[in-house]
Amino acid sequence: MQTAPPSPAPLPGFAAVFGEQLSVIGRSLRLEAMILGAAFALLTALTLYELSRGSMKPDFPLDAAFLLATTAFVMPYAVWRDEKLFSHQHFAILPVDRRRHIAIKTLAGAVWLGGAVAWIMLWLAMIGVIAGSDLGIDRYLVSGQIGPKGEISPDQLRMVRWAPETWNWISAFTTAGVFYLLGTAFELGVRYKLRWLAVPLVFFLLLAINPLGVTQQLAETTIELLLVSPLGLDNALSGGAETLDRLVLVGGKETTAWTGLPSMENWLRATTFWLVLSGGLFWLAASRHKEA
Amino acid sequence: MHFAIDTADARPIYVQIMDEVRRALVMGALRPEDPLPSVRQLAADLRLNPNTVAQAYRELERDGIVYVRRGQGTFIADRATPDAERAALIAEVARRALVDAHRHGLSADDLIQAIRDAAAADAKTAAE
Amino acid sequence: MTHAAPLPHSIASPTGDLAVATEGLVKRYGKDTALGGINLAAPEGGVYLLAGENGAGKSTLLRILMNLVRPDGGSTRVFGLDPQRQGPQVRAEVGYIPETHQPAYRWMTVGRLLDHHAAYYPAWDQPHADRLCRQLSLRPDAKLGSLSKGQARRAQLVCALARRPRLLLLDEPTDGLDPVARDEVLGLLSDHLADTGGTILISTHLIYEVDRLADHIGVLRGGALLAQLPREDLHRRLKLYRADGPEGWVGPANLQGVIKRAALGREIRWTVWGEEAEVATRIADSGGVVRDVASLTLDDAVVALMRAKD
C-alpha cells in the first residue's frame, strides 16, 4: 500500500508539554486555590481592620516560614494525585520520556507555587505601604554572658530596629522550593505512603520507653542537627531567627530578646545545603520511574 | 447495500462477497454500469477488514464481472449478464444440495426424486 | 497428537515489514511465567488477533510494547524501534487503549481531553477528532467523570484514532460495552483501516467480536504462543470431518494433525489440521465415508487449538 517508509511521528516539544502541564495543574488545584484565596481574603479584611484602628504594627513574619514550608510540602500530593504514577497509567503512556516528563510536571507545579509566593510577598509589601511601615521590628538585643536562669544586667540590653533585607524576601521562595522538592520526592519515591506513618510512631514509642536514656539523647541530637545547627532548617528558613529568641530576666522581670541578628551568611549557607539535598532526593525519586 | 456474511460458512469472507455480487446480478438487483459501494463503505457497513473487501473486488475484476473507473470506483461490467451468472449460480446451488444430501447419507437420485415431490407439493398448496 | 505439532509457530513468509516483532520475550511475576519466550510477528497493515485465556499474558505483552512493563528477557521491536530504549518514539507511533476505561482526570471535559492529547501529539487532526466525536455521540462539554463505561471507552477511541497512528494496540476493546457501542467500535476500526492502512493488534478473549476484522491470529496459552498464522490458513486447514464406516471401523491408523476425536454411535468426528483433500482421502481409504467437511468459526478454531492436548 505504501511505497516509501512513512516519516516518524513527531514528538512534542518542551514548550507544548510544559504549557499543557501548567494548564492541567492550575485547573486541578482550582479548589485548593479558592479555599486559600478565601482564607487570605479573610486575613486581609482582619489586617486592614486592625490597621485602621491603629492597633497593629505589621512586621515581616519570620515565623510564618514554617507554615509556608508545610504548605509547600503538601502541595505535591495535590499535583500528583490524579496521575497514579506507580501503576503506569495515562501519564506513562504519553510520548515523553518518563523521568523528563516528571521533571517538566514538577517544574510546572513549581511555577504555580512561585506565583503564589510572589503574590503573598506582594500582599505583604502592600500591607507595609498601607501601614506606612518598613515591616521592621523593634527588639531588645542582648550582648555578653547570660546567667543560667537567664539573668542579665540592664546594661546588656539595647533596643535595635531590624528591617527585612532583600534576602528575607527571597527566602520565602527558597523555603517553598526546598519543601516542594522534598514533598515531591516523597510523593514520587514512596509507593506505600501509609507505611511511613509507622516511622514517627516507632519514634515516639521508643521515646516513651527510652531504653538507657539513649533514645532521648539521640532524639535531642537529631533535632539539634536538623533544626538549629549551622546547616539546620532554622537557618535555611529565616537566617536563624527562632534560635536567636531568648527569654531573659532583667531585675526579676521577663523580656524577650535576640542574642544576635538574623544573618544572611547563615541563611545562604543553610539554604544552599537544603536546596542541593532536596534536589538530590527529588532526582532519586524521579529516577525510580525512569525508562531505559 | 446489505450483504449477508456468515463467518461460520465454509467459504472465506471474500468469496461470500463475490457470491453476493453474483447473486445480485442474477436477481437483477445489479445491472451493468451500476456502481458497487466503495471498499471503505462496504467494509465499514459490514464491520469487515477493508483488505477482505478489496480482495473480493480484485477477484471480481479478474473474473471480468466488475471494472474499476479511475477515481470513481468499481462498477458492474457490461458483459456481466444475468444469464452467464445464472448458470454458475444454479450449478452452485445444486452442488450444495448434493453435499447436504451426502451428509445425510442420501444419494443423488434420492435427492432428485425428493425435489420433484417437494416442488409438486408446493404447486398443489399454491393452487388451493 | 504428538508434541511436534504441525501447527505453525511463526508466519511462514511475512510479506512486507513487521509492525511488531518480539524474539524470546520473557516476563515473570514471581513464580508465574506470564510470557515464556514469545516470538510474535504482526505484519504491517494487518489486523492481528492475540487470543488466549484471561490472565494469559496478553495484556502484559501489550504493556511491554508501550514500555509500561520491563521484560525479563528477549527483545521487542515496534517498527524497528526498541520500546525499552526509544519509548517516547514508539509511543508516538502507537495508539494504545488499555483494558481499563477509567479516565485519568475526572474533572476534564471531553473537549479538554482532546486538547490535552493535541498538545502531546503534533500529528493530531482536530477536524478528524471532532468528526469522530460527532459520529460517536460524544459531547465536548461532558465531564469525563460523568461518562458511562461505553462513553469513556469511546472517548479513549477518539483520542487514539484522531491522530491516525501507524499501530493500534487494543486490550479488550469491546469488553463491558453494550451491543450498540461494540458495533460502533468495530465500524470505527474498519474505517480507520481503510483510512490509514495502519496495523491493529487486538488482544481479546471475545473472539467472535473481531472475527470479521482479523487477518492474522496468535494463540497464547500457558505463556507460550501456541500458534501464529494468517487467518486464511487457519480457516483452510483446520476443519471438522464427519465420517462413518462399517461396523467396528475406527478410522485411519496414523492420521496426522488430529486435535480432537469424538465418536457419536458409528459416526466419528475429527478436528484435524491438514490439507482437506489429503485428510478426506486418508479417511476414505481407511474404509469410511466422509459425510461432511465443515469449517470452524474463528472462535471454535481457537478453542479447539487451546484445548488440544500436547
Side-chain angles (χ1 to χ4, degrees):
Chain A
M1 243 189 250
Q2 284 148 340
T3 44
S7 51
L11 293 171
F14 170 83
V17 178
F18 179 71
E20 179 60 24
Q21 282 302 327
L22 211 55
S23 169
V24 167
I25 292 174
R27 175 56 183 82
S28 71
L29 291 179
R30 209 168 65 171
L31 183 65
E32 285 80 0
M34 291 201 293
I35 293 173
L36 284 175
F40 235 88
L42 196 64
L43 184 65
T44 310
L46 279 169
T47 311
L48 289 176
Y49 176 67
E50 293 293 325
L51 281 180
S52 66
R53 283 197 352 182
S55 55
M56 182 201 227
K57 278 172 64 185
D59 58 38
F60 193 85
L62 287 164
D63 41 8
F66 178 69
L67 196 64
L68 180 62
T70 313
T71 312
F73 186 78
V74 174
M75 184 196 181
Y77 166 74
V79 169
W80 293 97
R81 71 177 155 217
D82 281 334
E83 299 296 1
K84 301 193 195 64
L85 270 181
F86 284 97
S87 50
H88 292 314
Q89 301 283 2
H90 171 74
F91 190 79
I93 290 173
L94 294 170
V96 189
D97 176 76
R98 263 206 302 275
R99 189 169 56 178
R100 181 165 170 262
H101 201 189
I102 285 174
I104 295 178
K105 190 177 175 86
T106 305
L107 182 64
V111 168
W112 278 104
L113 182 59
V117 174
W119 198 87
I120 295 173
M121 294 293 104
L122 244 138
W123 179 87
L124 203 55
M126 279 292 107
I127 298 289
V129 165
I130 292 172
S133 147
D134 63 352
L135 298 175
I137 308 171
D138 288 312
R139 265 292 177 89
Y140 280 118
L141 184 66
V142 145
S143 45
Q145 290 285 3
I146 303 176
K149 286 209 201 67
E151 312 97 27
I152 52 166
S153 61
D155 57 324
Q156 282 180 277
L157 277 180
R158 65 185 172 92
M159 195 54 111
V160 289
R161 183 169 185 83
W162 173 87
E165 299 159 45
T166 313
W167 68 267
N168 290 105
W169 296 93
I170 298 177
S171 77
F173 292 93
T174 55
T175 300
V178 162
F179 279 86
Y180 175 73
L181 284 173
L182 287 175
T184 305
F186 184 65
E187 187 62 35
L188 298 177
V190 176
R191 183 164 193 172
Y192 301 107
K193 296 179 179 52
L194 285 177
R195 292 186 193 173
W196 278 61
L197 275 180
V199 173
L201 277 174
V202 167
F203 180 68
F204 285 117
L205 201 69
L206 283 176
L207 264 182
I209 303 173
N210 201 8
L212 307 168
V214 165
T215 321
Q216 184 88 344
Q217 190 67 20
L218 198 64
E220 278 172 9
T221 319
T222 315
I223 292 177
E224 209 184 279
L225 263 175
L226 201 66
L227 294 181
V228 304
S229 68
L231 291 177
L233 279 173
D234 189 43
N235 275 315
L237 265 51
S238 54
E242 287 299 308
T243 47
L244 292 172
D245 248 353
R246 276 296 299 269
L247 213 58
V248 290
L249 278 172
V250 185
K253 212 176 64 167
E254 276 185 349
T255 325
T256 47
W258 269 347
T259 52
L261 292 174
S263 123
M264 179 171 99
E265 288 78 31
N266 288 348
W267 170 79
L268 200 56
R269 192 189 318 119
T271 295
T272 310
F273 169 72
W274 278 94
L275 276 173
V276 169
L277 178 67
S278 58
L281 285 172
F282 162 74
W283 196 246
L284 265 172
S287 297
R288 195 174 166 178
H289 301 274
K290 75 172 181 182
E291 285 199 47
Chain B
M1 178 148 264
H2 182 75
F3 290 172
I5 302 296
D6 181 6
T7 49
D9 199 300
R11 302 167 293 160
I13 296 179
Y14 81 94
V15 170
Q16 294 182 43
I17 296 176
M18 292 171 70
D19 287 350
E20 288 288 305
V21 171
R22 287 199 167 95
R23 184 173 169 277
L25 259 174
V26 168
M27 311 266 290
L30 281 177
R31 276 178 274 233
E33 296 304 321
D34 276 352
L36 286 179
S38 69
V39 168
R40 191 210 170 104
Q41 188 60 51
L42 192 60
D45 284 345
L46 298 177
R47 312 299 191 221
L48 291 175
N49 192 324
N51 290 336
T52 313
V53 178
Q55 193 181 4
Y57 280 23
R58 268 200 308 274
E59 296 288 318
L60 284 170
E61 194 185 6
R62 239 192 30 186
D63 291 349
I65 297 175
V66 305
Y67 73 100
V68 179
R69 232 185 267 163
R70 276 275 297 271
Q72 296 192 4
T74 312
F75 297 81
I76 303 289
D78 277 329
R79 51 206 162 89
T81 58
D83 292 332
E85 291 310 314
R86 183 172 289 118
L89 198 73
I90 289 247
E92 185 56 35
V93 171
R95 193 194 66 80
R96 276 209 285 271
L98 273 175
V99 167
D100 204 10
H102 182 73
R103 190 187 308 137
H104 293 88
L106 306 165
S107 72
D109 287 331
D110 290 334
L111 179 62
I112 292 167
Q113 187 55 49
I115 288 177
R116 289 216 172 90
D117 294 343
D122 252 4
K124 197 145 162 253
T125 325
E128 283 164 8
Chain C
M1 187 168 105
T2 59
H3 189 72
L7 295 177
H9 270 251
S10 61
I11 303 221
S13 55
T15 49
D17 298 316
L18 295 176
V20 179
T22 73
E23 210 179 291
L25 191 60
V26 178
K27 179 63 187 174
R28 281 180 277 266
Y29 288 105
K31 286 210 196 78
D32 182 35
T33 305
L35 300 170
I38 305 290
N39 299 330
L40 188 133
E44 236 183 290
V47 178
Y48 188 106
L49 168 61
L50 186 61
E53 7 160 78
N54 277 339
K58 309 195 300 288
S59 290
T60 306
L61 204 150
L62 263 55
R63 288 170 74 78
I64 290 176
L65 294 179
M66 293 292 283
N67 202 22
L68 302 175
V69 166
R70 202 168 293 167
D72 294 319
S75 76
T76 323
R77 291 288 180 274
V78 177
F79 299 119
L81 301 168
D82 182 355
Q84 266 74 57
R85 285 197 182 72
Q86 295 156 293
Q89 286 89 325
V90 168
R91 295 198 292 274
E93 301 279 4
V94 177
Y96 172 60
I97 300 184
E99 219 177 325
T100 155
H101 50 79
Q102 282 288 5
Y105 313 108
R106 299 178 66 82
W107 50 265
M108 266 196 193
T109 62
V110 170
R112 183 66 183 78
L113 181 70
L114 297 182
D115 291 339
H116 181 73
H117 280 84
Y120 278 93
Y121 297 99
W124 184 262
D125 184 347
Q126 189 60 44
H128 189 41
D130 293 334
R131 223 176 304 132
L132 285 169
C133 274
R134 274 197 303 275
Q135 242 175 298
L136 293 172
S137 318
L138 275 177
R139 280 177 39 236
D141 58 354
K143 278 210 182 350
L144 292 180
S146 71
L147 294 180
S148 70
K149 234 192 211 179
Q151 286 170 317
R153 182 47 59 96
R154 283 179 224 181
Q156 282 175 322
L157 262 168
V158 175
C159 289
L161 292 175
R163 55 189 168 98
R164 299 196 172 84
R166 274 174 78 192
L167 173 64
L168 270 179
L169 289 179
L170 307 176
D171 202 344
E172 303 289 355
T174 58
D175 197 18
L177 297 184
D178 64 70
V180 176
R182 290 213 297 264
D183 197 48
E184 274 167 4
V185 168
L186 297 173
L188 266 187
L189 293 179
S190 175
D191 258 342
H192 169 82
L193 284 167
D195 227 356
T196 65
T199 315
I200 302 183
L201 176 56
I202 305 180
S203 154
T204 181
H205 63 283
L206 302 174
I207 298 162
Y208 59 88
E209 292 281 307
V210 295
D211 201 341
R212 296 165 159 210
L213 285 176
D215 51 30
H216 284 93
I217 315 289
V219 181
L220 210 55
R221 186 184 78 173
L225 207 52
L226 205 57
Q228 179 172 240
L229 72 173
R231 194 234 172 122
E232 218 175 276
D233 279 3
L234 183 62
H235 189 261
R236 202 183 70 240
R237 299 175 71 186
L238 187 66
K239 292 205 191 278
L240 179 66
Y241 299 83
R242 290 202 283 182
D244 53 65
E247 193 74 40
W249 175 74
V250 291
N254 288 327
L255 193 58
Q256 288 284 2
V258 175
I259 294 188
K260 190 170 135 175
R261 181 186 181 282
L264 181 68
R266 264 174 291 286
E267 179 182 79
I268 306 183
R269 299 170 183 186
W270 292 268
T271 305
V272 186
W273 168 269
E275 291 299 337
E276 184 178 332
E278 219 179 280
V279 176
T281 313
R282 294 215 57 204
I283 296 178
D285 283 350
S286 75
V289 177
V290 177
R291 295 284 169 203
D292 186 31
V293 181
S295 296
L296 298 169
T297 62
L298 191 55
D299 206 34
D300 290 338
V302 172
V303 169
L305 287 176
M306 284 176 50
R307 288 212 187 126
K309 290 183 264 289
D310 283 321

